[in-house]
Amino acid sequence: MRIEAAVRDDEPIILFDNVFKSFGDFQVLKGISLSIAAGERVVICGPSGSGKSTLIRCINGLESYDAGHIRVAGLALGTDDASRRAVRGKAGMVFQQFNLFPHLTVLENLMLGPMRARGMNRAAAEEIARRYLDRVRIPEQADKYPRQLSGGQQQRVAIARSLCMEPGIMLFDEPTSALDPEMINEVLEVMAELAGTGMTMLCVTHEMGFARRVADRIMFMDHGEIVETAPPERFFSAPESQRCRDFLQKILNH
């Protein structure tokens, strides 16, 4: 199967066209349409069960979708393994849990993807792994095992692991939700630095300070729909929908 990967200058890097997704009788995405430009930084927020994580997982094929169309970096994302693999080469993902291999050192965790998926030799993989450990500010942890690191350090390793695949898009699914409060800022600082490099970023998070500081747009989801989308200043100062106003009141006063 030939996969077309050309991206026109006027084409969004991520495009959802009337996308539906159900889990049994529960419809989790209801006709989602959105477009995201290359280099754009978008934060997705909303109450639990609103479809945020499902939407972001659909982008790199971790969740299938029932109807509609998705394009990522010029690739049509279908239900076949070939298109999913191609898209995953363009979009890195960081999860709530770190998912590091406990029996491998930090450096070995980072080298694994470039060697297996990109065909790099060991020396080249180590070079890129050390470069991204520098980027997330923990080069001194290279020879440690995940259990020897704090939760914040492990999440920074997980970010570096995704960066080692050199994706054009980074997806974050509530990356700080499993961390102790004192570790959240160190991960958000790394993400803010990444946002300054021009990389396309989508982040599901309730960290509204981070959203205000970093996002070009904030999307509010509820009951499987995008209820509101706006630049941070307008999103926080003058939300249009009552559902969004109620959500912000709860989360900002928490």
Side-chain angles (χ1 to χ4, degrees), residues 19-64:
V19 172
F20 287 81
K21 168 67 178 177
S22 295
F23 293 114
D25 294 332
F26 178 60
Q27 196 166 66
V28 65
L29 298 180
K30 303 174 182 176
I32 296 291
S33 292
L34 67 90
S35 80
I36 294 169
E40 194 172 12
R41 299 159 299 188
V42 178
V43 165
I44 306 171
C45 63
S48 180
S50 60
K52 310 180 301 294
S53 291
T54 300
L55 184 151
I56 209 168
R57 288 169 67 87
C58 281
I59 292 171
N60 68 347
L62 288 174
E63 293 287 357
S64 59

Side-chain angles (χ1 to χ4, degrees), residues 20 22 33 53 69 76 106 121 134 138 163 183 193 208 220:
F20 287 81
S22 295
S33 292
S53 291
H69 303 280
V106 165
N121 62 40
D134 283 339
I138 47 171
L163 291 172
M183 297 176 185
E193 285 185 12
M208 293 294 98
F220 171 69

Side-chain angles (χ1 to χ4, degrees), residues 119-166:
M120 284 188 180
N121 62 40
R122 189 172 184 85
E126 180 172 346
E127 181 182 350
I128 199 169
R130 291 191 183 278
R131 183 197 317 159
Y132 286 112
L133 281 177
D134 283 339
R135 171 73 69 85
V136 300
R137 304 188 217 156
I138 47 171
E140 73 284 356
Q141 308 297 341
D143 296 323
K144 291 185 179 178
Y145 289 88
R147 66 179 178 275
Q148 298 174 289
L149 307 183
S150 70
Q153 290 171 330
Q154 289 187 62
Q155 190 61 293
R156 283 191 277 168
V157 172
I159 292 171
R161 178 182 55 189
S162 286
L163 291 172
C164 282
M165 300 301 289
E166 302 200 306

Side-chain angles (χ1 to χ4, degrees), residues 56-244:
I56 209 168
R57 288 169 67 87
C58 281
I59 292 171
N60 68 347
L62 288 174
E63 293 287 357
S64 59
Y65 59 98
D66 302 327
H69 303 280
I70 299 176
R71 288 184 68 82
V72 180
L75 299 168
L77 176 60
T79 57
D80 57 289
D81 288 340
S83 71
R84 288 180 178 183
R85 281 196 302 271
V87 164
R88 286 172 192 159
K90 307 287 186 181
M93 185 138 181
V94 177
F95 302 89
Q96 298 176 32
Q97 303 299 327
F98 320 126
N99 299 323
L100 301 173
F101 290 109
H103 63 290
L104 300 179
T105 66
V106 165
L107 191 65
E108 289 167 340
N109 267 281
L110 268 60
M111 291 168 60
L112 196 61
M115 291 173 68
R116 288 194 175 178
R118 300 182 65 192
M120 284 188 180
N121 62 40
R122 189 172 184 85
E126 180 172 346
E127 181 182 350
I128 199 169
R130 291 191 183 278
R131 183 197 317 159
Y132 286 112
L133 281 177
D134 283 339
R135 171 73 69 85
V136 300
R137 304 188 217 156
I138 47 171
E140 73 284 356
Q141 308 297 341
D143 296 323
K144 291 185 179 178
Y145 289 88
R147 66 179 178 275
Q148 298 174 289
L149 307 183
S150 70
Q153 290 171 330
Q154 289 187 62
Q155 190 61 293
R156 283 191 277 168
V157 172
I159 292 171
R161 178 182 55 189
S162 286
L163 291 172
C164 282
M165 300 301 289
E166 302 200 306
I169 302 163
M170 281 290 285
L171 309 171
F172 296 88
D173 186 8
E174 301 198 44
T176 61
S177 66
L179 299 178
D180 293 333
E182 64 270 20
M183 297 176 185
I184 289 173
N185 280 341
E186 66 185 62
V187 172
L188 293 179
E189 282 299 318
V190 167
M191 292 169 61
E193 285 185 12
L194 280 180
T197 67
M199 177 177 284
T200 306
M201 288 178 58
L202 273 78
C203 182
V204 173
T205 186
H206 288 158
E207 298 292 337
M208 293 294 98
F210 171 80
R212 190 190 295 268
R213 173 180 161 201
V214 167
D216 297 309
R217 272 194 294 160
I218 302 176
M219 288 179 6
F220 171 69
M221 290 187 68
D222 195 14
H223 293 103
E225 299 174 317
I226 298 173
V227 176
E228 191 159 340
T229 180
E233 183 177 349
R234 192 169 86 234
F235 183 84
F236 288 110
S237 64
E240 295 179 359
S241 69
Q242 186 61 48
R243 280 192 282 176
C244 189

